Amino acid sequence: MSDTPYTAQIRNPIIVSGFIFDLDGELTDTAEYHYRAWKRLADEEGIPFSQQENETLLGIPRRESLMFILKGRVYPEDKIQDMMARKNSYYREYIKDITQQDLLPGAKALLDELQAAGIKIAIGSASKNAQEVITRLGIGPLLDSISDGYSVERQKPAPDLFLHAAAQLNLSPARCVVVEDASAGIEAAIAGGFHTVGLGPVERVGAAEVVFPNLDGVHMADILGALM
Ligand code: B16
Ligand code: MG
């Protein structure tokens, strides 16, 4: 009989009691909608913006994203506010048709599995539209708390949003796993002392303790086993 699990536990005992999920890009593909909304705005303004550049904006708040797209172009504050409002109205137009069918493969199965195991579940999303997306996805009843774009001042890559989520769960960062698809999110989680699971290419989330391409077929045991 193999003694591997016992040995692994002695070597590095990890007690995980909470999972904090980013939202856009993990549980649903709203990253594509953010891109389309920014692209529409950029086209209207005659500013070049590519899908590749959009990768840099994953997890980055609205105003900082706009500043990146403007690439040093200077506008008065009322024009900046107008552009952010326009992008948000396009984004809200795109998310209004989201349903439970838009949960990414493996997401619901993992959430159900975690809940059945008594693990607390939180959302840590930079988005001010997170609540609406969660409602449309129908996952509200599975969540113990939601930290979003309204919860803290300093957004990712500062650790504040995930620290807010851990406090809501009443858990220390060391007992929580953060699941993220953005390099800014992985950076934030590491800065906060969380365990980290990166979803996506290693070039983007390789700083995480464990990397999966996405949540399809990923079970709680796969994550906890890989963290040991
Ligand atoms: P909003 P996440 C982030 O959500 C998105 O990845 C990022 O593209 C977006 O700019 C940011 O939310 C703010 O979103 O404009 O809706 O407030 O990945 O942290 O779940
Ligand atoms: Mg994300």
Side-chain angles (χ1 to χ4, degrees):
M1 196 174 84
S2 164
D3 66 349
T4 306
Y6 181 69
T7 310
Q9 230 176 337
I10 294 289
R11 199 173 57 232
N12 187 13
I14 290 176
I15 303 166
V16 169
S17 306
F19 267 61
I20 303 170
F21 289 88
D22 171 52
L23 181 63
D24 296 336
E26 289 74 22
L27 302 182
T28 189
D29 198 12
T30 38
E32 173 64 20
Y33 297 145
H34 280 295
Y35 168 65
R36 278 194 225 163
W38 282 127
K39 179 68 178 154
R40 191 165 152 190
L41 177 80
D43 286 350
E44 285 170 357
E45 296 295 325
I47 297 169
F49 179 56
S50 69
Q51 188 136 27
Q52 198 184 354
E53 287 174 287
N54 188 62
E55 286 272 300
T56 322
L57 302 183
L58 297 180
I60 302 295
R62 200 178 307 164
R63 189 182 180 94
E64 281 83 342
S65 297
L66 177 61
M67 291 304 142
F68 175 89
I69 292 165
L70 295 181
K71 296 183 191 74
R73 291 171 178 83
V74 179
Y75 293 95
E77 181 60 25
D78 60 345
K79 173 76 176 174
I80 288 174
Q81 292 296 333
D82 167 71
M83 288 191 279
M84 288 197 294
R86 251 191 296 155
K87 183 269 175 177
N88 197 46
S89 73
Y90 300 151
Y91 179 68
R92 291 185 65 80
E93 192 182 310
Y94 300 145
I95 63 172
K96 77 177 184 330
D97 294 330
I98 287 180
T99 69
Q100 298 187 1
Q101 307 304 317
D102 292 297
L103 276 164
L104 285 169
K108 179 71 165 51
L110 180 59
L111 291 174
D112 285 339
E113 201 180 4
L114 292 169
Q115 192 192 43
I119 302 272
K120 289 184 184 173
I121 305 171
I123 294 292
S125 166
S127 176
K128 290 185 169 165
N129 295 294
Q131 182 68 65
E132 174 157 356
V133 173
I134 288 164
T135 303
R136 292 188 181 284
L137 291 172
I139 55 171
L142 291 167
L143 305 176
D144 294 287
S145 82
I146 297 171
S147 299
D148 64 13
Y150 295 104
S151 301
V152 294
E153 289 271 314
R154 292 192 314 160
Q155 291 292 340
K156 305 165 190 176
D160 305 27
L161 186 70
F162 294 134
L163 293 173
H164 182 275
Q168 295 281 110
L169 298 181
N170 206 18
L171 293 172
S172 67
R175 291 183 63 185
C176 298
V177 176
V178 168
V179 184
E180 256 289 354
D181 72 323
S183 56
I186 297 293
E187 200 183 319
I190 291 171
F194 293 88
H195 293 290
T196 48
V197 173
L199 299 183
V202 171
E203 304 78 54
R204 194 172 76 210
V205 292
E209 285 170 85
V210 186
V211 176
F212 297 103
N214 50 55
L215 289 179
D216 197 6
V218 175
H219 294 279
M220 182 176 74
D222 300 322
I223 295 174
L224 298 184
L227 287 174
M228 284 192 173

